[in-house]
């Protein structure tokens, strides 16, 4: 399967051009001993270390209240950590203004739907705003970026349709297309497949997986679907109580013991003989 090939490719050593032919590139996102607090002062994240490189898709897993959405806010720069540092493409996030961040990092929030009253193309064009001047004039480069994003998400035939007329799955693809049109280095997704049926979820994850591989995006996706994470992610970050319980490959992190510890539930962990990917089934508690 395509996603398994790209996963294996992404797991190879990262030795692309940095300052010289043998210099490793800087991580796209790096968290060093990052902690964050809720407005009440209660600790939401504690000493998180995470490195995400170009061409990697990291799935963030964990139970409700584990700190997943807080982690997204910290990575995206919308929440300042109470301790530690976040780096974006080798530079401290705190040294960037919002416009600079938006040129390199795109965010699709949880259950985000595009605003109504606009066509699909108009919504996707909104992703170009960080690259436009005060008058928001549309350049040839903007048009090309929008065309690429529409094509990548299979929306060309719908580009002139009012977004309000689209299905939920199609609207989610519009949100992804708008983020891709930003043409940044980092893509942050908070529950991209939420409330979608099986077919639309697969279509969406296929788009994300392909774009991560072809554009060498660094992608962090908060997921509740363990099976989707096992199918599409390169690396897993498993959170519980604001702490990083485990991080690494699917085989290293998505084990019976670690998932049971995180979710405090029994899960059957199986291996698909066709493609050697893992799958997970909840086990009803014995009476």
């Amino acid at each position: 399967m395509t996603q398994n090939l790209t996963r294996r490719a992404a797991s190879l050593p990262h030795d692309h051009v940095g300052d010289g032919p043998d210099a490793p590139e800087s991580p796209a996102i790096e968290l060093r001993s990052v902690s964050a607090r809720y407005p009440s002062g209660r600790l939401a994240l504690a000493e998180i270390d995470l490195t995400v490189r170009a061409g990697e898709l990291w799935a963030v897993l964990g139970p409700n209240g584990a700190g997943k959405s807080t982690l997204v806010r910290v990575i995206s720069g919308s929440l300042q950590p109470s301790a530690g540092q976040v780096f974006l493409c080798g530079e401290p996030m705190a040294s960037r203004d919002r416009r600079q961040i938006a040129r390199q990092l795109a965010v699709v929030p949880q259950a985000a739907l595009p605003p109504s009253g606009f066509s699909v193309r108009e919504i996707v064009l909104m992703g170009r705003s960080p690259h436009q001047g005060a008058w928001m004039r549309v350049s040839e480069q903007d048009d090309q970026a929008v065309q690429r994003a529409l094509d990548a998400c299979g929306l060309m035939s719908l580009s002139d349709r009012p977004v309000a007329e689209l299905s939920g799955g199609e609207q989610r693809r519009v949100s992804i297309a708008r983020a891709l049109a930003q043409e940044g280095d980092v893509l942050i997704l908070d529950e991209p497949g939420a409330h979608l049926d099986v077919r639309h979820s697969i279509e969406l994850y296929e788009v994300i997986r392909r774009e991560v591989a072809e554009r060498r995006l660094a992608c962090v996706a908060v997921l509740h679907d363990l099976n989707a994470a096992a199918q599409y992610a390169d690396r897993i970050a498993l959170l519980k109580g604001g702490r990083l319980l485990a991080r690494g490959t699917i085989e290293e992190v998505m084990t019976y013991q670690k998932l049971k510890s995180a979710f405090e539930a029994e899960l059957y962990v199986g291996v698909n003989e066709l493609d050697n990917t893992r799958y997970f089934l909840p086990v009803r508690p014995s009476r």
Side-chain angles (χ1 to χ4, degrees):
M1 297 175 70
T2 302
Q3 62 266 31
N4 295 325
L5 293 176
T6 52
R7 182 187 303 147
R8 285 195 290 271
S11 67
L12 296 175
H14 293 270
D15 55 359
H16 299 277
V17 175
D19 296 328
D22 299 318
E25 61 185 347
S26 297
I29 287 289
E30 186 176 9
L31 278 66
R32 299 180 186 173
S33 300
V34 166
S35 297
R37 294 184 179 277
Y38 294 111
S40 65
R42 185 167 63 89
L43 197 64
L45 294 174
E47 299 182 355
I48 302 295
D49 291 300
L50 196 65
T51 300
V52 183
R53 298 185 182 274
E56 287 185 340
L57 196 167
W58 278 77
V60 180
L61 306 177
N64 293 338
K68 302 185 295 297
S69 292
T70 301
L71 180 63
V72 164
R73 293 179 61 203
V74 168
I75 292 175
S76 66
S78 64
L79 176 65
Q80 293 296 318
S82 57
Q85 282 188 293
V86 181
F87 293 84
L88 173 60
C89 298
E91 298 292 331
M93 181 81 78
S95 68
R96 308 287 188 91
D97 62 33
R98 294 306 304 168
R99 190 175 184 84
Q100 290 173 326
I101 292 172
R103 287 175 176 171
Q104 290 187 291
L105 182 149
V107 183
V108 180
Q110 185 178 23
L113 293 176
S116 59
F118 298 92
S119 71
V120 170
R121 183 181 296 275
E122 289 170 334
I123 294 291
V124 177
L125 182 58
M126 292 176 186
R128 296 300 300 167
S129 60
H131 304 278
Q132 295 171 335
W135 296 102
M136 305 296 283
R137 290 192 176 96
V138 179
S139 68
E140 182 179 351
Q141 185 177 358
D142 293 333
D143 280 330
Q144 291 173 351
V146 169
Q147 289 292 105
R148 283 192 293 268
L150 289 169
D151 184 57
C153 295
L155 294 169
M156 289 296 291
S157 63
L158 303 175
S159 61
D160 296 324
R161 289 266 301 275
V163 72
E165 294 181 2
L166 304 184
S167 69
E170 290 167 339
Q171 290 187 3
R172 292 296 284 172
R173 277 190 283 148
V174 172
S175 295
I176 298 295
R178 180 173 59 181
L180 293 177
Q182 287 182 228
E183 293 193 325
D185 302 298
V186 180
L187 180 62
I188 309 296
L189 307 168
D190 195 354
E191 280 298 315
H195 311 301
L196 298 183
D197 61 30
V198 173
R199 179 174 70 86
H200 287 104
S201 293
I202 291 173
E203 289 176 351
L204 189 68
Y205 289 126
E206 286 291 332
V207 168
I208 296 166
R209 178 70 265 181
R210 184 179 65 247
E211 292 301 301
V212 167
E214 293 182 357
R215 298 196 191 193
R216 285 190 53 75
L217 294 174
C219 181
V220 178
V222 172
L223 301 178
H224 278 298
D225 188 337
L226 300 181
N227 290 300
Q231 283 285 326
Y232 292 101
D234 301 303
R235 300 284 188 273
I236 305 293
L238 185 60
L239 293 178
K240 182 181 182 181
R243 297 185 180 276
L244 197 57
L245 194 64
R247 65 175 181 266
T249 65
I250 292 160
E251 293 75 19
E252 291 169 340
V253 177
M254 299 187 77
T255 65
Y256 167 77
Q257 288 293 345
K258 289 175 182 175
L259 293 176
K260 180 180 180 181
S261 177
F263 292 97
E264 298 180 6
E266 293 286 342
L267 290 167
Y268 174 78
V269 181
V271 178
N272 188 332
E273 295 180 357
L274 296 177
D275 59 10
N276 205 37
T277 58
R278 297 191 175 201
Y279 64 91
F280 309 88
L281 297 171
V283 177
R284 185 179 180 184
S286 57
R287 296 182 177 180

